[in-house]
Amino acid sequence: MNREGLVDTGTGPAVVLLHGFPHTPRLWDAVLPRLAQTHRVIAPNLVAGGDGLALAAAVADLLDGLGIDRADVVGIDAGAPPSFLLALSRPERVRRLVLMESLLGRLPGAESFLANGPPWWFGFHQAPGLAETVLEGHEREYIEWFLRAGTHGGRGVAPEIRHAFVSAYTGRAALASAFAHYRALPVTAAQIASLAVEQGRRLSMPVLAIGAHPIGPALAAQLRPVASQLTEVQLENCGHIIPLDAPGPLLEVLVPFLLTPGPGDS
């Protein structure tokens, strides 16, 4: 995994934070100072997408390069499937798993959310070459739409963060690289089905599922059959971009979860 834009700060047990689209590691700006008081916080740049297992392997390689054997893993949006697949495929690397505002392939539980089909941009982003052709030169307007839609009441995010996100996704190459997350969705869904359904693997570590708007409880419903120790939290008056939209409420549930000792902790 390319270390450009990697955040590595704080001391203590390692926690890996995986962002989604259209974000960068700056998604974690509002929660990082508190987490760094008790943890070594690793936040890689996932602007460049790919299938879930490839990204999970890249995270494992990153941990190897940093000399970290085991970490808590937190994933939101497009960062959730690779987090989930890392925990399923390499459980010895994941102490605790936190997933937020995402769906996990075709696992049962999200039928109500998907009753009218997936969000419109999934198909738009998946069509090879289309989205980057249409959006080049209009990246700011497009990214800002997601930032308004992903926050409660459409309030958006601070100008500095907004500028960082727009800059990361400006240009045809950057857009195409980001849309690789979406173009790999069928592969990622097949990987999830293979591990969780066909092979019957389960998450043995403690798992925290955090919902807001619009995913809500659908993620937790998908996790119930495969997680042995599942905690479910629903944040009210909070949009999709939880770490920026409701950092205080997020920390109120995240910090105690990460600090609770578990089996294998020294």
Side-chain angles (χ1 to χ4, degrees):
M1 176 174 286
N2 190 328
R3 295 198 184 187
E4 182 179 355
L6 173 73
V7 173
D8 183 354
T9 186
T11 57
V15 57
V16 178
L17 308 177
L18 301 183
H19 68 81
F21 174 86
H23 319 134
T24 74
R26 298 213 57 184
L27 175 73
W28 311 104
D29 273 16
V31 299
L32 196 147
R34 172 61 187 89
L35 293 178
Q37 293 176 14
T38 52
H39 288 76
R40 180 181 179 183
V41 183
I42 312 297
N45 190 330
L46 292 184
V47 170
D51 69 78
L53 274 179
L55 292 174
V59 172
D61 289 345
L62 174 64
L63 293 177
D64 289 341
L66 296 173
I68 298 170
D69 293 327
R70 193 164 175 248
D72 298 322
V73 177
V74 180
I76 185 171
D77 189 76
S83 301
F84 178 70
L85 285 166
L86 178 63
L88 272 186
S89 62
R90 307 188 190 194
E92 74 282 358
R93 307 303 301 267
V94 180
R95 174 182 170 270
R96 289 175 179 267
L97 177 66
V98 181
L99 301 177
M100 298 185 277
E101 278 292 289
S102 184
L103 295 182
L104 301 172
R106 296 183 292 271
L107 291 183
E111 292 81 5
S112 178
F113 179 82
L114 295 171
N116 295 317
W120 62 265
W121 57 87
F122 277 52
F124 178 49
H125 292 172
Q126 284 181 301
L130 174 62
E132 53 267 42
T133 299
V134 172
L135 295 172
E136 189 174 13
H138 300 280
E139 295 92 340
R140 179 180 59 81
E141 295 91 336
Y142 195 62
I143 300 304
E144 288 181 353
W145 182 89
F146 278 97
L147 301 181
R148 290 190 300 271
T151 47
H152 183 65
R155 58 191 167 202
V157 303
E160 182 184 2
I161 301 294
R162 183 175 69 244
H163 176 72
F165 289 173
V166 170
S167 296
Y169 294 93
T170 293
R172 184 183 182 89
L175 289 168
S177 182
F179 296 148
H181 284 292
Y182 295 86
R183 291 164 188 171
L185 281 175
V187 174
T188 298
Q191 293 165 346
I192 291 172
S194 175
L195 291 175
V197 180
E198 296 166 20
Q199 298 181 37
R201 299 197 190 186
R202 292 179 56 82
L203 298 170
S204 57
M205 71 288 296
V207 179
L208 172 62
I210 304 177
H213 177 80
I215 303 296
L219 171 61
Q222 288 187 306
L223 284 167
R224 284 179 206 135
V226 297
S228 300
Q229 306 176 62
L230 178 64
T231 301
E232 304 176 26
V233 173
Q234 181 70 26
L235 297 181
E236 303 299 330
N237 301 317
C238 177
H240 181 67
I241 316 173
I242 295 174
L244 289 174
D245 207 27
L250 172 59
L251 287 169
E252 287 177 6
V253 297
L254 181 59
V255 170
F257 179 78
L258 297 180
L259 290 178
T260 301
D265 293 335
S266 56

